[in-house]
Amino acid sequence: MDALDTLETRELRYFLAVAEELHFGRAAERLGMAQPPLSRAIQQMERRLGVSLLERNRRGVALTGAGEVLLYEGRAALDAATAAARRTRRAGGAGTPGGGARNRLVLAVKAAASHELLQKLLAAYAAEPGAAEIEVLPSGTCEQEEMLRDGRADVALMHKPFNSLAGFDSEELLTEGQIAIVPAGHPLAARRTLSLADVTDVPGLPHARWPRRGTYPPGPGPEIHDQTQLAQLIALGRTMALFPESARAWLWAEHAAVPVVDAPPVVTHIAWPAHSRSLALAGLVRMATRL
């Protein structure tokens, strides 16, 4: 391969920081380095690749068309490199008591969703001869796909339309409706059903916001870090959230769940990296599809 066509992971991290911040100073601070060497590193990348990645002017920094491609491809490349390192360490038992290789899978799940399905899956799989140890890793609304891509997880329960299955293999497990989880004392809690229009822009009850790639979408709702925080803020009348029907399992007495009749159905999939060759993972998937 021509050296001009290769990039080091260090260079990609530098570029992604600038591309995401669109500001050399903030990117340098994020990377823990001075701005001049960061600027020089980006210029060297552009010379080697023979393209302009950034447009620089007095107003700031903007991505060129080539820069947008590298932003997308660079994220995927870094995720793949990070995933390879994490899964290799996990396979070799790094970070586990006593060391040594262990038959272990990390399963990413959306906090509070598909609770009954998850319980059945874990119990049924644990009864299988030679079953791997399953570490359950709760996540925010849209974090499972990121955990699969960067190697924090080996397999995930994902939910369309909230999660993207692009680049993964998957099997459909469950289809269910959506509910609005609102404070028990709110007028919406007295309704037998709701529509999407009913739960859009409700005065004083904005939708909770979960992060994607470390950033929160715009909006007036509170920034949510975990399920416990969400549950407390709903109970206090500060926010509301839409969840699959199965989320009823974690409701508090201060919550009310009302079906949203015109919300798209939520389809739960078990998903895994398309290149996986793990026999333990294949066994878990087979068990999931039998439930």
Side-chain angles (χ1 to χ4, degrees):
M1 182 180 291
D2 193 320
L4 296 177
D5 293 331
T6 62
L7 290 171
E8 299 178 3
T9 55
R10 173 183 57 84
E11 294 176 307
L12 286 175
R13 293 186 192 281
Y14 287 178
F15 171 74
L16 291 180
V18 177
E20 291 169 354
E21 299 290 346
L22 292 178
H23 190 281
F24 275 93
R26 289 195 299 268
E29 183 177 356
R30 170 174 151 182
L31 292 165
M33 63 187 298
Q35 183 174 332
L38 175 59
S39 298
R40 288 195 295 271
I42 299 298
Q43 290 169 355
Q44 290 171 0
M45 287 178 63
E46 291 177 316
R47 284 196 295 269
R48 285 173 53 210
L49 294 172
V51 296
S52 294
L53 301 171
L54 303 167
E55 294 178 353
R56 306 161 177 83
N57 54 49
R58 294 179 179 178
R59 291 176 295 178
V61 177
L63 288 171
T64 64
E68 290 178 354
V69 170
L70 186 57
L71 174 60
Y72 176 81
E73 298 286 352
R75 281 173 172 164
L78 277 182
D79 281 348
T82 302
R86 283 175 169 157
R87 291 192 176 111
T88 298
R89 286 173 54 80
R90 192 150 59 237
T96 59
R102 298 181 65 180
N103 201 16
R104 182 167 69 101
L105 294 172
V106 177
L107 170 62
V109 298
K110 176 181 173 181
S114 304
H115 182 72
E116 183 177 354
L117 173 65
L118 178 60
Q119 283 187 318
K120 289 180 178 179
L121 173 59
L122 294 177
Y125 180 69
E128 289 289 293
E133 175 188 349
I134 304 295
E135 177 184 342
V136 177
L137 186 61
S139 70
T141 298
C142 299
E143 291 181 331
Q144 303 100 304
E145 58 198 85
E146 296 170 25
M147 290 176 170
L148 276 188
R149 294 188 203 284
D150 68 16
R152 283 176 288 169
D154 301 298
V155 59
L157 294 184
M158 293 170 51
H159 310 276
K160 292 187 70 175
F162 303 113
N163 299 122
S164 170
L165 296 172
F168 301 122
D169 285 340
S170 66
E171 291 284 351
E172 182 177 323
L173 302 180
L174 174 69
T175 299
E176 57 188 320
Q178 293 193 54
I179 54 175
I181 302 178
V182 300
H186 194 277
L188 291 178
R191 301 274 297 274
R192 295 186 63 182
T193 62
L194 294 167
S195 68
L196 287 172
D198 293 328
V199 296
T200 301
D201 296 326
V202 178
L205 201 65
H207 281 264
R209 293 181 294 138
W210 291 90
R212 296 203 68 165
R213 286 196 170 269
T215 61
Y216 288 86
E223 297 179 351
I224 301 300
H225 309 293
D226 56 48
Q227 178 192 337
T228 300
Q229 179 200 21
L230 173 64
Q232 186 170 34
L233 289 176
I234 293 175
L236 292 172
R238 302 299 179 89
T239 190
M240 66 177 297
L242 295 184
F243 267 86
E245 180 78 25
S246 55
R248 289 180 182 274
W250 64 267
L251 297 188
W252 295 3
E254 297 88 347
H255 300 156
V258 186
V260 182
V261 293
D262 60 346
V266 177
V267 183
T268 300
H269 291 74
I270 186 167
W272 63 96
H275 56 76
S276 176
R277 297 295 181 268
S278 167
L279 294 178
L281 173 57
L284 181 66
V285 172
R286 282 196 301 270
M287 179 57 66
T289 59
R290 294 175 189 162
L291 296 178

